[in-house]
Amino acid sequence: MNAFVHIRILREIQFMNKYQPIIGLEIHVELKTKSKMFCGCPCDWFGKPPNSNNCPVCLGLPGTLPVPNKKAVEWTIKIAKALNCKINTISKFDRKNYFYPDLPKAYQISQYDQPIAIKGSLKFKIQNSEFKVEEKEIAITRVHLEEDTGKLIHQGNESLVDFNRAGVPLVEIVTEPVFRISDDAKHFLEELQTILRYLDVADCDMEKGSMRVEPNVSLMKLETWNMKQEKLPNYKVEIKNINSFRYAKYAIDYEIKRQTEILETGETPVQETRGFNENKNVTFSQRTKEEAHDYRYFPEPDIPPMVFKESFLAKITVPELPGSKVERYMRDYGLKYQDAFILTRDKNIAEYFDVINSKLKSQKSKLQVKSQNLENSIATLIVNKKISTDLIPDKFIKQLSSLLSPKETDETQLKKTIDIILDQNQKAIGEYKKGKTNVIMFLVGSVMRELKGQADATVVRNKIEKEIKS
Ligand code: ZN
Ligand code: MN
């Protein structure tokens, strides 16, 4: 490496470490309840003719009264439980006032100081950019329930509004600003999406906007000589309504670069809300950020506070979640992280895998399957798509038997191969005779490789041992 290149790299490292990104996420998820949050209109608004999915309540007409959807409240509690949150036994709705054409009442019914849940955390395993398995724990600030807004459609000089979506139950999940790199934020979002689908409470269809992400990013200055934090940033940039995890990552990375450049000139980035341009992969200024008091929050006078009894909360249960399944498959079945991860991304496939394993357990003796680690073999077959999970379980097991049945060994070929391998490895045989019995695995491996795996390893081992001893 020449001196010039070396200095450039050193500078880059120094530059990179000078600022610590502080990243938090705010996620909005539409619940897939039958009816809207405060009225009886259906929730499946997507694709309907404009303003055909409304009633006086979700149009915010004077004199109407909102009635909370019990299912939506239960599902929000379910999500909160899955994220290990503390559920507030008394929770209330508040009005968040702002004027925007997609908001028919000029306020959104949301939750301010008594949300359904606070202080959670989500633990999960990821594979980092160096292919190492790492455990992450993300602190959750709050989970609350509100209503979705309508949609604006811009056509030339005109803007049209469609209220079909207005009033759909919307859960807001806020994390602590604990992310330091955009990759971790993306992993968290993917895990959260998988969990919400396991809970069967939301489609999380990014293209329909039923899951939307708002990252907030700022940079903390570090003292370069000892890497101690200098001071927390006194500004925050929020990027609005991103409908893809990849774009969320790009937006965060772009902000880190943009803010670094501003800080390098000695300025402080402006506290503001920015949008993301998907074509150019850049963020752009939308408006300077309003403070919470700009929304003039006050308790929703038409809905009494909710009081949750212990017995009510106890009935809301959470199934085994993808993270726990990954742990269990690795621990109980000896699966590699990568296989356990792939198997658990789709709840149906994971459940199918569980059904097959429990069926096999009860009929193992009858089955002509020979495998040292049956669960692992099944996982590998499913992950590599060598066998279909569309089959009914009994057919799957039949196919499995033929796929995993002991390989027919050509006896003469086997004998010949063993003779050759033993001939080539006199030293190993000597060590074996001296008591280093472990070398047998090396010999078995060599024979198996020579036969391209077309032999039963146990048979090979027995034959080699016999041969050496004779
Ligand atoms: Zn309605
Ligand atoms: Mn919100």
Side-chain angles (χ1 to χ4, degrees):
M1 189 189 303
N2 72 41
F4 177 74
V5 172
H6 189 66
I7 285 166
R8 187 175 58 77
I9 289 172
L10 279 180
R11 266 212 201 111
E12 270 173 21
I13 290 169
Q14 196 185 30
F15 187 65
M16 277 166 63
N17 287 338
K18 211 163 149 188
Y19 305 104
Q20 173 71 77
I22 308 289
I23 306 158
L25 296 172
E26 201 179 294
I27 301 114
H28 283 96
V29 179
E30 279 178 9
L31 296 180
K32 56 173 186 181
T33 45
K34 277 204 185 73
S35 56
K36 288 188 181 178
M37 189 58 226
F38 300 111
C39 65
C41 296
C43 271
D44 59 337
W45 57 272
F46 196 83
K48 288 185 175 170
N51 302 307
S52 65
N53 193 44
N54 295 102
C55 72
V57 174
C58 59
L59 286 176
L61 299 188
T64 55
L65 283 175
V67 179
N69 181 333
K70 193 178 170 199
K71 197 90 220 168
V73 174
E74 283 177 20
W75 284 3
T76 308
I77 293 170
K78 201 187 255 279
I79 293 170
K81 282 192 170 187
L83 298 175
N84 304 298
C85 291
K86 178 182 169 290
I87 314 287
N88 282 327
T89 44
I90 303 175
S91 180
K92 70 173 169 66
F93 287 103
D94 298 276
R95 290 189 182 179
K96 181 182 182 181
N97 298 277
Y98 64 93
F99 178 77
Y100 205 63
D102 63 5
L103 194 64
K105 298 190 291 288
Y107 61 84
Q108 179 192 33
I109 303 181
S110 179
Q111 297 197 282
Y112 184 49
D113 53 352
Q114 279 169 274
I116 288 202
I118 53 169
K119 286 189 182 145
S121 88
L122 180 63
K123 267 192 208 161
F124 57 102
K125 284 187 160 70
I126 63 147
Q127 195 170 46
N128 67 20
S129 53
E130 278 134 35
F131 300 102
K132 287 208 185 92
V133 177
E134 257 182 65
E135 176 140 285
K136 296 282 168 189
E137 182 168 5
I138 304 305
I140 309 289
T141 314
R142 57 188 276 150
V143 175
H144 79 235
L145 184 54
E146 56 189 34
E147 55 178 340
D148 210 348
T149 60
K151 270 191 101 155
L152 288 179
I153 299 135
H154 304 284
Q155 288 181 350
N157 290 329
E158 287 179 330
S159 284
L160 305 169
V161 64
D162 175 9
F163 287 121
N164 283 351
R165 194 180 69 177
V168 168
L170 197 64
V171 171
E172 185 178 312
I173 299 158
V174 184
T175 77
E176 290 290 304
V178 288
F179 302 97
R180 296 293 172 261
I181 54 170
S182 60
D183 276 330
D184 285 351
K186 185 165 176 276
H187 280 127
F188 169 80
L189 289 167
E190 284 161 351
E191 188 73 13
L192 179 65
Q193 184 186 48
T194 310
I195 288 171
L196 293 166
R197 287 177 175 163
Y198 264 64
L199 297 177
D200 207 16
V201 297
D203 289 329
C204 298
D205 191 331
M206 306 297 289
E207 271 160 36
K208 290 181 186 167
S210 54
M211 183 174 185
R212 306 177 313 250
V213 185
E214 284 158 21
N216 54 71
V217 183
S218 57
L219 298 184
M220 183 169 71
K221 268 191 204 169
L222 296 170
E223 281 179 40
T224 41
W225 60 277
N226 66 358
M227 295 304 149
K228 269 193 194 151
Q229 81 175 57
E230 201 175 69
K231 56 175 179 184
L232 280 167
N234 55 358
Y235 71 95
K236 194 163 82 177
V237 173
E238 206 172 284
I239 313 144
K240 276 283 171 201
N241 278 333
I242 300 182
N243 65 352
S244 129
F245 299 153
R246 199 158 37 96
Y247 291 154
K249 177 182 154 56
Y250 292 162
I252 293 168
D253 287 338
Y254 179 81
E255 269 309 300
I256 292 172
K257 186 170 151 274
R258 187 185 71 87
Q259 292 176 25
T260 301
E261 284 164 10
I262 294 172
L263 288 162
E264 277 295 285
T265 66
E267 303 277 307
T268 303
V270 183
Q271 168 132 339
E272 63 180 342
T273 299
R274 297 176 72 87
F276 179 70
N277 182 320
E278 302 167 2
N279 300 316
K280 295 181 187 157
N281 283 337
V282 300
T283 65
F284 56 89
S285 182
Q286 278 183 330
R287 57 194 149 94
T288 49
K289 175 83 183 135
E290 52 285 90
E291 297 287 330
H293 63 252
D294 288 348
Y295 291 124
R296 214 167 44 89
Y297 276 103
F298 63 85
E300 166 60 62
D302 293 335
I303 306 172
M306 299 174 281
V307 181
F308 305 125
K309 284 198 194 123
E310 272 309 315
S311 57
F312 169 78
L313 293 177
K315 269 187 247 158
I316 302 168
T317 56
V318 173
E320 187 185 27
L321 295 175
S324 308
K325 276 198 197 283
V326 167
E327 299 275 348
R328 179 163 65 84
Y329 291 170
M330 289 174 76
R331 185 187 62 231
D332 294 356
Y333 300 157
L335 260 57
K336 284 185 303 206
Y337 166 80
Q338 200 53 35
D339 285 351
F341 180 80
I342 294 170
L343 271 183
T344 50
R345 290 313 92 185
D346 183 330
K347 185 192 184 185
N348 294 326
I349 291 183
E351 275 172 2
Y352 188 83
F353 180 65
D354 285 334
V355 166
I356 296 291
N357 283 322
S358 70
K359 272 196 171 254
L360 283 175
K361 217 175 205 172
S362 59
Q363 50 174 252
K364 214 165 200 170
S365 52
K366 275 189 277 170
L367 191 78
Q368 289 303 304
V369 170
K370 208 167 183 191
S371 171
Q372 279 210 327
N373 182 340
L374 187 55
E375 293 93 352
N376 207 344
S377 307
I378 297 170
T380 312
L381 287 170
I382 295 177
V383 167
N384 295 319
K385 298 198 159 53
K386 301 269 193 242
I387 185 163
S388 165
T389 49
D390 293 335
L391 297 167
I392 57 161
D394 286 335
K395 272 209 170 143
F396 182 97
I397 289 170
K398 235 183 199 167
Q399 267 205 22
L400 196 65
S401 312
S402 69
L403 281 166
L404 296 180
S405 64
K407 302 275 185 299
E408 285 292 322
T409 314
D410 181 334
E411 285 297 322
T412 38
Q413 181 67 25
L414 178 60
K415 172 109 187 31
K416 231 167 85 188
T417 312
I418 289 177
D419 285 347
I420 294 168
I421 296 293
L422 291 185
D423 215 40
Q424 288 170 351
N425 293 286
Q426 289 300 323
K427 216 176 127 198
I429 294 170
E431 279 174 28
Y432 179 81
K433 285 181 173 165
K434 274 187 226 152
K436 273 184 110 184
T437 49
N438 273 344
V439 297
I440 196 82
M441 291 322 290
F442 162 73
L443 296 169
V444 173
S446 306
V447 172
M448 293 297 283
R449 198 158 39 245
E450 202 59 39
L451 293 169
K452 299 195 166 62
Q454 294 299 306
D456 187 318
T458 323
V459 174
V460 173
R461 187 192 173 130
N462 290 340
K463 284 207 189 257
I464 293 176
E465 277 176 330
K466 225 164 139 192
E467 203 67 31
I468 295 178
K469 279 172 188 157
S470 70

